[in-house]
Amino acid sequence: MRRYFQVFTVTLKEYFAYRLNFVLWRFRMILSTMITLFLWMGVFDSRSSFGSYSKERLLSYLLFSSLVTTFIASSRISNLAYEIQSGGIMNLLLKPLSIFGYYAATDAADKLMNVFFGLVEFLLIVMSFQIPLVPPQQIGWFLIFLCSGVCISFSINLMLSFIGFWTPEVWAPRFLFMMLVTFVSGAYFPLDLLPSFVYRIFLFTPFPYLYFMPTKILVDGLQGPYFIQQLICSLGWAIGLFFLARFIWKRGIKNFSFWGR
Amino acid sequence: MITVKNVTKIYKSHIRQNNILKDIFFRTFKEHIAVKNISLDIKENELVGFIGPNGAGKTSTLKMLAGILYPTSGSLSVLGYTPFDKKRAFLKQIAFIMGQRNQLIWDLPAYDSFELQRAVYELDVTEYKKTLNHLLSILECENLMQKPVKTLSLGERMKMELIAGLLHKPKLVFLDEPTIGLDIFSQEAIRTFIREYQQSYKATVILTSHYLEDVKKLTKRLIIIHKGVIVYDGSLKNIIEQYSTEKRIKITLEENISEAKIKAIGSPTSFIYPQLIFSIKRAELPEKIKQISSLLSFSDLTVEDASIEEVIKSFFGEKR
C-alpha cells in the first residue's frame, strides 16, 4: 500500500510543477458551471418549476452535480493512451506495481486537488449569487453510489486508453465518447426530466450511475420502488466493467509489439 | 540464470492500401521477423555484450527477457521465472535501463524518483540510504539529486537514471545503449560505474551498445545478432583473433623522412609527421618490424590489434 501512497504523493508534487496550468483548468471549469447555471436561471425567470423540479432543487442539482462530476471525472488516465503509443508504459511494466493500482493512486491525487478547488469554487458561486440550496440528503447512500460511480468511470477511462494498443487514433474516440457520456450521465440536467421510457432505458446503462444517481440522492434522497434495481445496476456495472477492463488490458499487453519504441 | 530456447518474435504491421474503406474494414498486415529461433544461456555474474546493427533484434530480445514482450514461440526462463508472467518477485530482481528512454519523473528532482523507487521496491530505509550514497559516490553526482530532471544535461540524467534503476540492487541488469549521445568523459564515467556496480553487487549485466568501446572495455563474452539470428556467441578475444587478420604498427618518427623510404617498407595507412601507421598482415609482422628498425629512426613503436569496429565490420562483411 505504501508504494501507491508514494505514487499519490509524487503526483501531487507534479501538480505543483505546473501550477498555472492547473489554475487555468479550474477557471475553465468554473466558467462551464456558471454557463449551465445561468442558462437554467434564465429558464426559471419565467416559471417557478421545470418538470418535477422547483428552482431550488434544480439549481441544487446543478451545483451538487458540478462537485460530483469534478470528483468522478478527475483522472490522469487519459495520459495512458499516449504512454502506450510512445512505449512509456514500459517503465511501469518493469516495476513491481499493478497498473490498475498505479492509476488509481494518480487518480486519487487528481481527485483530491480538483475537489479541493471545486469546493472553494462551489462556495464562491453559492455565496456570490445567493443561490438557495436544499440540504444534502442521505450522505451514506450518496457515498456508496459515488464510490460505484468512481469505479465505473475508472474502468471506462482505462478501456478508452487501451484503444491505444490497437490504433494510434485514440483522441477522437475518447473525445466523442466523453462528450456523449457527459450528456447522458446527468452532468448538465437531471436525467429524470427526460421522457419516462428514455429515462428507464438509460437506467440499464452504466452512465446514469456516474453523475446523475449520486447527485439525485443528495438532492432528493432515495425514492421509489426502483431503488434496489438501481443499486444492483450501479454495483453490477462497477464490477462488470472492472473485469472487462482487466480482460482488455491482458489482451492488449500480450498483442502489443512496442516495435521501435 | 537465463535460458532461452528457440525463441521467435514476429511483429505484424499494417499495410496501407491507398483506399480508406479497405484500410478501415479490410486491413492487411505484413509480418516482420524480429527474432528468429534464438537460443542462449547466460550464467550468474556474467557481463555480456549484445550487439548488432539497427533492427537486428537486440532490443526485442532484451524486452522478451524482461517480460515486456510476449514471444511468438519458444521458451524463456529468467531467474527461474517466465518473464511475461511479470511476477512481483521477478520484477524486484531485474532492472532495464534504456539510454534513449527517460524513466525519471521529468518535472521533479531525481530525489523524488529515488524515493518512489524505495517505496515501489519496498526497500529498507537504512539499506536504501547506504546504496544511494554508494552509487552517488561512484558517479560523483551528489549535487545533482535536488535539481529537477528536466534541467539536467544528458550525461547527468543518465547518471541519475542508472542510480534510480539500480537502487534495489537487481541481480539482473539490462542496459540498452547506456552511453548513447554522451561525451567521452561521461561515457567513461558510465563504463567505470557499470564495471564497479557489477563487481560490487555480483550482478549479471547484459549490455547493448553501438559504441563498441563499451563492449570492449566491459565485456568478455559477446553475442552478435544479425537479422534476428544469433551469428556469434563467444569470447571477445576469439572474435578479435579470428577476424583481425592485420596488426597495426604505430611509429613515432624522430626525424622527417622521404616518401621513397616509407614506400620501401609498404603503403602506410596514415602518415602525419611524426606519426606513421602501417597495417600489416600477422604473418609478415616480424619481418616488417626488422625492416622498420633498420630503415627508420623512431622514438616509439607500438603494435596493436585492429580496432573492435574494424573487427566487427570485417565480421559483418563476411556475413553478407
Side-chain angles (χ1 to χ4, degrees):
Chain A
M1 203 58 197
R2 193 178 293 168
R3 62 185 77 181
Y4 298 108
F5 180 71
Q6 191 65 31
V7 173
F8 171 84
T9 313
V10 162
T11 311
L12 283 183
K13 284 185 184 175
E14 279 186 285
Y15 266 112
F16 291 106
Y18 290 103
R19 290 175 291 266
L20 182 65
N21 265 0
F22 185 74
V23 169
L24 291 177
W25 162 250
R26 287 312 317 169
F27 184 63
R28 178 189 173 278
M29 295 311 287
I30 295 181
L31 282 184
S32 167
T33 307
M34 283 174 51
I35 289 168
T36 316
L37 203 62
F38 287 146
L39 193 78
W40 279 103
M41 283 165 106
V43 170
F44 280 106
D45 272 351
S46 56
R47 56 205 299 173
S48 60
S49 67
F50 192 91
S52 61
Y53 281 83
S54 65
K55 180 180 179 183
E56 186 188 32
R57 277 177 58 231
L58 194 75
L59 295 184
S60 300
Y61 177 91
L62 291 173
L63 282 168
F64 288 147
S65 158
S66 81
L67 262 185
V68 168
T69 308
T70 296
F71 187 75
I72 291 181
S74 299
S75 173
R76 301 269 295 220
I77 297 175
S78 55
N79 291 348
L80 177 59
Y82 170 74
E83 293 292 326
I84 291 170
Q85 279 297 313
S86 68
I89 189 78
M90 283 189 284
N91 293 342
L92 280 178
L93 292 176
L94 289 162
K95 287 185 169 52
L97 275 176
S98 143
I99 199 100
F100 283 59
Y102 175 86
Y103 276 101
T106 60
D107 269 15
D110 203 287
K111 288 180 197 309
L112 179 73
M113 286 292 287
N114 278 290
V115 164
F116 174 76
F117 283 90
L119 264 174
V120 174
E121 294 153 16
F122 174 87
L123 293 174
L124 275 176
I125 293 175
V126 171
M127 287 191 292
S128 309
F129 299 100
Q130 299 287 309
I131 296 172
L133 290 179
V134 296
Q137 312 284 309
Q138 297 179 323
I139 301 291
W141 284 113
F142 161 73
L143 289 175
I144 290 171
F145 274 89
L146 185 77
C147 290
S148 183
V150 167
C151 294
I152 292 172
S153 164
F154 182 69
S155 300
I156 290 177
N157 258 316
L158 281 173
M159 287 188 281
L160 284 173
S161 290
F162 294 161
I163 294 174
F165 282 124
W166 290 276
T167 171
E169 293 153 280
V170 288
W171 288 107
R174 170 176 284 277
F175 181 74
L176 191 68
F177 192 80
M178 290 323 269
M179 284 292 288
L180 281 172
V181 163
T182 311
F183 182 75
V184 297
S185 59
Y188 298 132
F189 62 90
L191 293 180
D192 51 358
L193 285 178
L194 291 168
S196 176
F197 78 97
V198 178
Y199 172 59
R200 296 251 169 270
I201 291 170
F202 272 7
L203 286 180
F204 285 103
T205 71
F207 310 117
Y209 306 102
L210 287 169
Y211 316 137
F212 169 71
M213 204 51 81
T215 314
K216 175 80 179 160
I217 291 169
L218 267 190
V219 176
D220 289 336
L222 291 164
Q223 286 178 343
Y226 300 109
F227 153 66
I228 291 292
Q229 177 203 318
Q230 287 156 7
L231 183 66
I232 291 170
C233 271
S234 177
L235 295 176
W237 277 116
I239 295 165
L241 288 172
F242 176 76
F243 282 106
L244 183 63
R246 275 179 66 94
F247 173 75
I248 296 174
W249 164 252
K250 284 185 178 166
R251 286 291 298 268
I253 205 68
K254 200 167 175 179
N255 292 331
F256 197 52
S257 70
F258 296 106
W259 191 11
R261 293 173 176 91
Chain B
M1 172 166 265
I2 295 178
T3 309
V4 176
K5 276 187 191 152
N6 311 111
V7 164
T8 296
K9 177 71 194 173
I10 299 172
Y11 294 127
K12 276 184 181 174
S13 62
H14 167 225
I15 307 168
R16 292 209 184 273
Q17 301 168 88
N18 293 327
N19 180 325
I20 194 162
L21 288 175
K22 276 188 177 177
D23 278 340
I24 293 172
F25 297 108
F26 307 102
R27 300 189 114 197
T28 51
F29 296 90
K30 187 173 79 178
E31 286 194 341
H32 172 89
I33 303 174
V35 173
K36 195 175 173 183
N37 203 27
I38 63 164
S39 298
L40 59 95
D41 277 289
I42 295 174
K43 292 187 182 66
E44 225 171 292
N45 203 19
E46 270 196 277
L47 209 164
V48 181
F50 197 57
I51 65 167
N54 287 331
K58 302 182 295 290
T59 308
S60 295
T61 307
L62 256 53
K63 283 175 184 167
M64 283 191 281
L65 292 175
I68 297 171
L69 280 182
Y70 191 75
T72 310
S73 65
S75 70
L76 295 113
S77 167
V78 180
L79 296 156
Y81 295 90
T82 302
F84 196 76
D85 291 348
K86 298 186 187 64
K87 298 273 185 230
R88 205 162 270 185
F90 166 71
L91 293 171
K92 276 187 169 182
Q93 295 180 68
I94 68 160
F96 198 132
I97 300 163
M98 296 169 260
Q100 302 201 68
R101 186 172 294 287
N102 177 38
Q103 300 191 52
L104 301 167
I105 303 161
W106 188 246
D107 299 308
L108 301 179
Y111 178 75
D112 287 300
S113 295
F114 298 163
E115 281 292 309
L116 183 60
Q117 292 291 85
R118 180 175 73 77
V120 165
Y121 289 94
E122 297 171 312
L123 305 176
D124 170 69
V125 180
T126 325
E127 195 59 27
Y128 155 78
K129 282 186 180 160
K130 202 174 132 194
T131 316
L132 177 60
N133 290 334
H134 182 214
L135 299 178
L136 284 168
S137 68
I138 307 177
L139 283 168
E140 298 170 351
C141 55
E142 292 88 343
N143 57 327
L144 302 177
M145 255 207 324
Q146 299 295 347
K147 284 174 79 177
V149 172
K150 61 186 171 190
T151 65
L152 298 176
S153 71
L154 187 60
E156 290 172 336
R157 187 170 65 68
M158 197 57 221
K159 288 178 180 176
M160 296 288 118
E161 290 276 357
L162 282 166
I163 293 173
L166 301 174
L167 271 171
H168 60 291
K169 295 189 279 183
K171 278 189 188 163
L172 175 61
V173 183
F174 300 100
L175 290 170
D176 191 15
E177 304 191 37
T179 55
I180 195 161
L182 303 186
D183 63 49
I184 49 168
F185 304 107
S186 301
Q187 283 183 22
E188 199 46 50
I190 301 283
R191 279 182 207 127
T192 310
F193 173 78
I194 294 169
R195 198 182 305 114
E196 284 193 30
Y197 176 83
Q198 197 251 347
Q199 283 163 5
S200 307
Y201 296 98
K202 307 282 175 232
T204 303
V205 178
I206 303 178
L207 166 81
T208 79
S209 181
H210 285 296
Y211 297 129
L212 294 170
E213 218 35 44
D214 292 347
V215 178
K216 190 180 164 189
K217 291 202 170 153
L218 289 170
T219 68
K220 287 197 176 84
R221 180 177 168 192
L222 185 67
I223 298 174
I224 304 180
I225 188 164
H226 184 46
K227 294 181 180 168
V229 177
I230 292 180
V231 287
Y232 180 83
D233 184 354
S235 74
L236 187 64
K237 203 176 145 204
N238 269 355
I239 199 170
I240 290 174
E241 274 172 15
Q242 208 177 326
Y243 288 90
S244 169
T245 50
E246 292 188 336
K247 292 259 183 186
R248 181 186 292 231
I249 305 180
K250 264 190 191 171
I251 305 151
T252 309
L253 296 168
E254 276 190 337
E255 56 190 44
N256 211 342
I257 51 167
S258 68
E259 265 191 37
K261 227 174 183 182
I262 296 171
K263 289 255 164 85
I265 301 164
S267 296
T269 315
S270 113
F271 176 41
I272 303 164
Y273 180 79
Q275 196 165 67
L276 175 62
I277 301 172
F278 288 107
S279 287
I280 308 285
K281 288 210 163 62
R282 277 167 182 267
E284 296 170 6
L285 198 64
E287 194 198 321
K288 284 288 174 193
I289 290 178
K290 236 187 251 176
Q291 212 177 351
I292 290 165
S293 307
S294 62
L295 289 173
L296 307 178
S297 157
F298 54 86
S299 58
D300 190 29
L301 182 146
T302 55
V303 180
E304 294 171 355
D305 274 314
S307 72
I308 180 83
E309 280 82 1
E310 282 168 328
V311 171
I312 299 298
K313 226 190 275 174
S314 136
F315 178 88
F316 278 112
E318 197 172 275
K319 292 291 158 201
R320 275 177 194 131

